[in-house]
Amino acid sequence: SSNAMWGGRFAAGPDAIMEAINASIGYDQRLYAQDIRGSRAHAAMLAAQGIISDKDAEAIGEGLLTVLSEIEAGGFPFSTALEDIHMNVEARLKEVIGEPAGRLHTARSRNDQVATDFRLWVREQCDAAISGLDTLIRAALTRAEEGADWVMPGFTHLQTAQPVTFGHHMMAYVEMFARDKSRFIDARKRMNECPLGAAALAGTGFPIDRHATAEALGFDRPMANSLDAVSDRDFALEFLSAGSICAVHMSRLAEELVIWSSAQFRFVAMSDKWSTGSSIMPQKRNPDAAELIRAKIGRILGASVALFTVMKGLPLAYSKDMQEDKEQVFDAADNLMLALAAMAGMIGDMTVNADKLEAAASGGFSTATDLADWLVREAGLPFRDAHHVTGSLVAMAEDQGCDLPDLSLEQMQSINPAITESVFDVLGVHNSVASRQSYGGTAPDQVRAQIARWKEQLG
Ligand code: ARG
């Protein structure tokens, strides 16, 4: 038989395969609360405008609450024949309240309905991401504060470069996560306009009040163009883009945690809560949570690529292609929130091995730049010459199987006679980091100032 909602001009029902490819209820049932909220706002507005009676609006509003609690109780008989959440809710409303249910869809289309529901949902996910990031930022800040003086090797090319502090390293991620947070805040602001009342695409002849429904649903204003309102999904793309960037940041930190927790590094130890063992190798403590966070960017960016691809060729206004927006965003959002929570937990619970950090910081000729800088400052060498002299000293130390501070003054002077005893002051890793006082540098004073700025900002 033909569809109860739109079957007027149809003699026969859809093929079973058509039903399968057409239905979105399997996933868009997640929008039930947003759908009911939007419908209640719409019905109240219709009554306020005299488009439907107060009595009908009341029946609709109450009936929708009944449907809401039925769905929340679980086991709601969602029907594939009814395609999506919008028609499932309305059909059930009809069973509950009868004839007035048919008046709910006045001056509305599923096109503006789904755009509204989905915006409400994505807006909530922005809030969830913002709060997840907040927790993560605080966790990283706490670790940064604790390790503001702990010296560790800073790397380029994953080769020892110069000593930095652990606090400095953590604060680098605080900066990244704070930008991620601001991206979600921005995206939320831009998406906070209401499509409801755009109807199918052209607006409606009924005297609706779009400002009222926008306000009732917590939007800043109605969207200004009905075609745009029903046909763009840039809010979802922005959410996925911000999510992808955030996931990249988490993935890089996760990668570091995987490396740092290895037997070769031992910079950190993951707590039992965030590790798994091996069924065959009894010694193993695997950083699975970090690895999974590292992998999440795959699905989040994948979702983003999928939705960009769905949208890129669509003429205005609505096309059914856009039904493919939801699963991607649902999956990306779920995994983003999970990754944020796991990352915050892992960071908070890990043990940082300050001694290992310091021992590693001292190796790899990490203060060679300090030595070159000393030659510039104290012996007046041009930096390029100082670089060359230092390179020869590194080669000499490497030859002797020792570190730079282990060379004798005589050995150093054999390469450049201008070197004096005071060079040894700059070869220690603590002196090295303490000297890096430029704004944003790794000196503990700078790191503490950065921490203080963030603590004040976060309150
Ligand atoms: N399930 C549809 C979606 O998610 C709802 C909108 C249907 N509109 C239409 N004109 N067929 O996009």
Side-chain angles (χ1 to χ4, degrees):
S1 67
S2 71
N3 187 289
M5 299 288 166
W6 43 251
R9 53 117 63 229
F10 288 79
D15 189 274
I17 304 287
M18 174 57 193
E19 202 170 282
I21 196 174
N22 195 41
S24 54
I25 187 62
Y27 47 88
D28 70 12
Q29 53 184 268
R30 275 186 83 160
L31 297 176
Y32 73 90
Q34 291 76 13
D35 192 67
I36 287 170
R37 191 178 166 197
S39 289
R40 281 170 52 84
H42 183 67
M45 179 278 291
L46 290 177
Q49 294 299 104
I51 300 167
I52 65 173
S53 71
D54 287 341
K55 196 165 150 279
D56 284 348
E58 205 160 301
I60 291 170
E62 287 299 308
L64 284 168
L65 288 183
T66 303
V67 178
L68 178 68
S69 52
E70 286 178 1
I71 295 176
E72 265 161 7
F76 188 91
F78 289 113
S79 144
T80 309
L82 288 165
E83 254 185 75
D84 56 24
I85 186 62
H86 323 294
M87 297 205 289
N88 270 270
V89 168
E90 195 185 315
R92 179 62 190 145
L93 181 67
K94 179 89 187 291
E95 288 171 6
V96 175
I97 67 166
E99 188 259 303
R103 301 189 186 279
L104 170 60
H105 214 51
T106 314
R108 184 178 78 170
S109 152
R110 267 188 300 154
N111 296 348
D112 58 335
Q113 189 178 354
V114 71
T116 304
D117 295 0
F118 198 31
R119 259 177 207 257
L120 287 170
W121 195 88
V122 175
R123 188 177 76 182
E124 279 172 32
Q125 296 302 308
C126 283
D127 291 338
I130 290 163
S131 109
L133 277 160
D134 220 64
T135 306
L136 175 53
I137 288 168
R138 284 169 202 278
L141 255 178
T142 303
R143 298 324 297 252
E145 197 163 25
E146 166 192 41
D149 294 297
W150 296 347
V151 184
M152 65 178 280
F155 299 94
T156 59
H157 314 266
L158 198 55
Q159 306 284 319
T160 298
Q162 294 175 349
V164 295
T165 63
F166 185 77
H168 196 52
H169 200 108
M170 283 294 113
M171 289 310 291
Y173 283 104
V174 167
E175 296 288 332
M176 292 179 239
F177 293 138
R179 283 196 299 278
D180 292 336
K181 187 175 141 189
S182 75
R183 265 182 281 274
F184 283 110
I185 292 171
D186 285 350
R188 189 197 196 283
K189 270 187 214 143
R190 241 183 316 277
M191 76 178 65
N192 203 29
E193 295 186 335
C194 188
L196 194 59
L201 74 165
T204 174
F206 289 100
I208 59 171
D209 182 352
R210 292 193 58 209
H211 293 273
T213 43
E215 199 189 319
L217 296 172
F219 288 108
D220 293 330
R221 62 191 77 86
M223 289 183 77
N225 182 296
S226 63
L227 288 170
D228 174 43
V230 293
S231 65
D232 204 1
R233 293 293 182 267
D234 61 350
F235 64 96
L237 291 172
E238 240 187 302
F239 174 79
L240 293 174
S241 303
S244 296
I245 297 173
C246 175
V248 167
H249 290 154
M250 283 196 282
S251 180
R252 296 184 72 178
L253 177 51
E255 165 73 357
E256 295 195 315
L257 295 178
V258 169
I259 294 171
W260 291 357
S261 61
S262 69
Q264 288 67 27
F265 273 75
R266 286 278 176 261
F267 286 5
V268 299
M270 293 298 152
S271 84
D272 288 356
K273 290 203 270 180
W274 301 101
S275 311
T276 61
S278 157
S279 50
I280 178 169
M281 297 166 284
Q283 86 283 10
K284 292 279 265 179
R285 171 200 277 288
N286 294 326
D288 291 35
E291 296 171 84
L292 288 163
I293 291 169
R294 188 173 58 186
K296 290 298 182 195
I297 176 63
R299 17 194 339 166
I300 297 169
L301 183 62
S304 155
V305 171
L307 186 54
F308 271 104
T309 311
V310 165
M311 296 305 297
K312 77 167 202 49
L314 297 186
L316 304 189
Y318 179 86
S319 299
K320 196 63 171 264
D321 308 52
M322 282 155 69
Q323 182 165 284
E324 291 284 318
D325 56 2
K326 286 169 231 38
E327 271 178 299
Q328 302 295 343
V329 179
F330 289 163
D331 185 73
D334 289 346
N335 283 286
L336 180 68
M337 304 317 153
L338 201 51
L340 283 167
M343 186 55 102
M346 243 181 0
I347 294 284
D349 290 343
M350 71 188 180
T351 306
V352 183
N353 191 340
D355 295 339
K356 275 278 183 196
L357 292 178
E358 175 148 352
S362 313
F365 312 106
S366 67
T367 54
T369 314
D370 299 84
L371 175 49
D373 288 349
W374 183 93
L375 287 164
V376 170
R377 229 175 23 245
E378 307 295 327
L381 266 63
F383 181 77
R384 284 295 159 215
D385 298 347
H387 184 285
H388 196 83
V389 169
T390 307
S392 307
L393 288 165
V394 166
M396 175 186 269
E398 207 162 31
D399 243 31
Q400 320 251 323
C402 68
D403 284 322
L404 282 173
D406 305 325
L407 292 173
S408 70
L409 184 59
E410 292 69 41
Q411 286 174 314
M412 293 204 192
Q413 286 172 337
S414 76
I415 295 205
N416 191 297
I419 298 176
T420 66
E421 192 67 37
S422 79
V423 77
F424 289 98
D425 293 344
V426 302
L427 295 181
V429 290
H430 287 280
N431 288 335
S432 170
V433 293
S435 74
R436 298 230 161 25
Q437 286 286 356
S438 52
Y439 181 85
T442 198
D445 295 347
Q446 287 297 326
V447 174
R448 285 188 207 289
Q450 193 189 355
I451 293 170
R453 285 196 299 273
W454 276 116
K455 283 176 90 172
E456 193 185 318
Q457 203 163 318
L458 294 167

